Amino acid sequence: QVQLVESGGGLVQAGGSLRLSCAASGRSFSRSTMGWFRQAPGKERDLVAGISWGGGSTYYADSVKGRFTISRDNAKNTVYLQMNSLKPEDTAVYYCAAASRPIPTMSQAYDYWGQGTQVAVSS
């Protein structure tokens, strides 16, 4: 069992930066693949970035490559999403999620979810 709580969302101007954090509780965090998803109104929930349990493998959606960085600190049971050069199209609710498989891209493969944090980017 893994419980996830996101923080760090907010309102930022285009070109700005935010860092999201996801604090996890539960003994299986360090063995879990972690992913950051986002969902804009009327759209599907899509994987933005994922990281393997040891941090050695990462995945990024094409739309965020070169701007977002996912990282994790297993000693602190926390996964991060550093978001730079934000664009209005990055506006969405961001969710972190945990999976037992190597960085699946489908939301259905993730077993545990946080409650989400809102990110709004103004133009």
Side-chain angles (χ1 to χ4, degrees), residues 37-46 48 88-95 118-119:
F37 285 77
R38 68 185 180 189
Q39 187 169 23
K43 295 189 176 181
E44 294 185 352
R45 188 175 297 187
D46 294 323
V48 172
E89 52 263 44
D90 295 318
T91 296
V93 178
Y94 284 70
Y95 300 89
Q118 177 72 52
V119 171

Side-chain angles (χ1 to χ4, degrees), residues 46-104:
D46 294 323
L47 181 66
V48 172
I51 188 167
S52 60
W53 66 270
S57 296
T58 56
Y59 165 90
Y60 295 97
D62 288 343
S63 58
V64 306
K65 281 181 181 176
R67 300 188 299 123
F68 290 12
T69 303
I70 189 171
S71 61
R72 67 189 296 163
D73 185 338
N74 286 344
K76 296 182 178 180
N77 277 13
T78 303
V79 62
Y80 305 96
L81 185 68
Q82 178 66 44
M83 305 186 295
N84 298 329
S85 302
L86 282 161
K87 304 176 181 180
E89 52 263 44
D90 295 318
T91 296
V93 178
Y94 284 70
Y95 300 89
C96 71
S100 57
R101 295 163 51 188
I103 316 184

Side-chain angles (χ1 to χ4, degrees), residues 4-64:
L4 305 171
V5 179
E6 302 97 333
S7 61
L11 174 63
V12 65
Q13 287 188 331
S17 298
L18 284 174
R19 188 175 83 154
L20 305 183
S21 299
C22 175
S25 59
R27 290 180 292 177
S28 61
F29 171 79
S30 62
R31 300 190 299 274
S32 298
T33 291
M34 298 301 297
W36 281 100
F37 285 77
R38 68 185 180 189
Q39 187 169 23
K43 295 189 176 181
E44 294 185 352
R45 188 175 297 187
D46 294 323
L47 181 66
V48 172
I51 188 167
S52 60
W53 66 270
S57 296
T58 56
Y59 165 90
Y60 295 97
D62 288 343
S63 58
V64 306

